[in-house]
Amino acid sequence: MPDSQPQPPHSPSGQTDTATLLLCGARLTDGRTVDVRLGGRRIEAVGTVGSLTRGAPGVLAAKVDLDGYLLLPAPAEPHAHSDTALTAGDDGPLAYDAQEVQRRATEAALLQLGHGATALRSHVHVGDVQGLDALAAVLQARRSLRGFAELTAVAMPRVLTGVAGADGLAMLRDAVKMGASVVGGCPDADPDPTGYVEAILELASEHGCPVDLHTDGADPARLARLAAMAGGLRPGVTLGPCGGLGRLPSETASRAAHQLAAAGVTVVCLPQGGCGAVERRGTAPVRLLRAAGVRVAAGSGALRDVSNPVGRGDPLEAAYLLASRYGLRPEDAYDAVSCAARAALGLPEVRVEAGFPAELLAVRGDRLAGALSLVYSRIVVHRGRVVARTSAVREYCNSAAAAGMELPRQGRGEPS
């Protein structure tokens, strides 16, 4: 469900969305070095170095020197928990004060934006102690982030069946009216998981909004029912983290994967750690799922909360783990946090080609494998303008060996 609120004519930096930006000397994954001109939130042109000097007649484009940088489609974060983020060190019960939740959600989104994620989907609890207050705070954070990052909210009720579920269902309807653009939750935690899914799918069909459900995926019969129920729903159904699938016998997991593929369900795995109980940790079998034809995206999950006190929220780390631990090619691993993640969020595809959205990430280096291995310096572009920079300088102090070999600080040519 697209956000229908009006967009501001000016960016927070004072630039208009129609301002032209020229990215100079960027390296692409195919080995070319190019200039890229951005304007009106889109990529206007890609050409050889020095060939793109101006946008509209008589308008000189602002320039960003990307010599020594690899230019990529920007990542997206398909599975965040903004309402509980950054609470690992807090004493006592989790605070759901609206102002505090808004602060946490904003800080978490900006942290992930600095890593490169220009779009984020946050799962937010509704009902119980927090009622709709946490959702209202996250939606307020979304408004304050306009022009920097796109933040959407998934409303997560605890119970939807039986007598107790009536309040949860009413709360979920109110959440959609407030602005939650996705409905979800954890059917595994409801006394009637099938009834929970039925209620979610019915409400989603009524409002035309996507579904994003938490499930461990360890029960193949339950997963098969969910896939059968979800098949054909548009805009679509996403499941995650499905770590339990990896604990099933390979033949059983493969059968479940083919059922999910037939239903058109997307699976979001969390290679950096789960967002629930420690005993249910594990990452979905990404290669098996991909082989069955399931779209697999990767998210961050918990960001320094009780579920993962050291969560980084870094999509490049998620891609690194998919490549190093689960055997994906670097290109496929990065696709899981960029193109596949954007598709899971219902966002248009991004390529470094004319006509595509200007949602980009520049990282120090000249090869994708090296960028996934270790990268600090990053430049993030959202809606055609630079919205975040991270610059790192590596020094080898008082080292004759380092000086003699001209070792890089952070990529060759990094300025001091």
Side-chain angles (χ1 to χ4, degrees):
M1 182 184 297
D3 196 332
S4 60
Q5 298 194 31
Q7 305 296 328
H10 294 274
S11 72
S13 68
Q15 287 181 300
T16 65
D17 285 329
T18 57
T20 301
L21 183 67
L22 189 62
L23 308 179
C24 304
R27 181 94 168 194
L28 302 184
T29 54
D30 62 10
R32 289 181 295 151
T33 301
V34 298
D35 287 353
V36 180
R37 188 174 68 231
L38 314 177
R41 304 188 186 183
R42 294 200 166 264
I43 299 172
E44 289 186 344
V46 178
T48 56
V49 175
S51 66
L52 306 177
T53 56
R54 294 180 180 273
V59 177
L60 185 64
K63 294 183 179 181
V64 176
D65 183 5
L66 292 185
D67 179 37
Y69 282 82
L70 183 68
L71 188 62
L72 304 164
E77 173 51 69
H79 194 115
H81 287 270
S82 301
D83 55 337
T84 59
L86 308 173
T87 59
D90 293 357
D91 297 325
L94 185 62
Y96 275 103
D97 172 75
Q99 187 173 0
E100 177 63 16
V101 173
Q102 182 184 343
R103 184 197 65 77
R104 293 197 303 251
T106 303
E107 183 179 350
L110 290 175
L111 177 63
Q112 294 185 270
L113 175 66
H115 292 320
T118 62
L120 306 95
R121 175 181 283 183
S122 176
H123 296 257
V124 184
H125 293 280
V126 298
D128 297 329
V129 174
Q130 62 270 33
L132 292 171
D133 291 347
L135 175 63
V138 171
L139 293 176
Q140 183 59 41
R142 180 189 67 178
R143 288 187 283 271
S144 69
L145 288 163
R146 267 187 210 289
F148 289 100
E150 303 296 329
L151 174 63
T152 57
V154 185
M156 291 181 57
R158 185 174 60 85
V159 177
L160 288 179
T161 65
V163 176
D167 288 341
L169 191 56
M171 191 77 68
L172 184 59
R173 292 185 180 279
D174 289 342
V176 173
K177 293 176 184 177
M178 281 179 60
S181 54
V182 188
V183 292
C186 183
D188 298 354
D190 192 286
D192 179 5
T194 299
Y196 188 105
V197 174
E198 287 176 344
I200 288 287
L201 295 178
E202 181 179 347
L203 189 144
S205 179
E206 178 184 336
H207 291 275
C209 56
V211 169
D212 198 329
L213 293 168
H214 283 63
T215 184
D216 186 51
D219 185 335
R222 183 182 298 171
L223 203 59
R225 287 195 299 272
L226 198 160
M229 295 163 64
L233 181 73
R234 296 292 180 267
V237 176
T238 299
L239 299 180
C242 295
L245 265 178
R247 301 190 293 272
L248 296 175
S250 58
E251 183 177 336
T252 304
S254 179
R255 184 163 55 250
H258 281 89
Q259 292 166 338
L260 294 173
V265 171
T266 297
V267 171
V268 173
C269 65
L270 303 177
Q272 296 175 90
C275 55
V278 173
E279 62 271 14
R280 300 176 69 184
R281 292 290 169 88
T283 299
V286 292
R287 295 177 66 186
L288 181 148
L289 288 164
R290 286 170 54 88
V294 178
R295 176 190 288 144
V296 178
S300 298
L303 175 57
R304 303 210 309 258
D305 66 16
V306 67
S307 295
N308 186 359
V310 295
R312 294 182 181 176
D314 186 350
L316 265 63
E317 183 186 41
Y320 155 76
L321 290 169
L322 290 178
S324 67
R325 185 177 296 176
Y326 301 102
L328 265 61
R329 296 185 312 123
E331 294 78 9
D332 293 333
Y334 189 74
D335 179 84
V337 301
S338 57
C339 294
R342 287 183 61 85
L345 301 187
L347 298 172
E349 182 182 8
V350 173
R351 299 182 195 169
V352 188
E353 299 176 13
F356 284 86
E359 304 288 323
L360 303 167
L361 171 64
V363 296
R364 266 289 176 189
D366 59 2
R367 293 289 186 275
L368 183 58
L372 297 188
S373 173
L374 184 66
V375 65
Y376 296 114
S377 298
R378 309 183 191 191
I379 299 174
V380 186
V381 175
H382 173 54
R383 292 184 179 177
R385 71 183 192 90
V386 174
V387 291
R389 288 178 182 262
T390 301
S391 299
V393 175
R394 175 179 292 158
E395 299 282 4
Y396 300 93
C397 298
N398 302 320
S399 171
M405 296 174 64
E406 297 184 352
L407 293 176
R409 295 184 177 94
Q410 162 68 24
R412 295 193 181 278
E414 180 79 21
S416 59

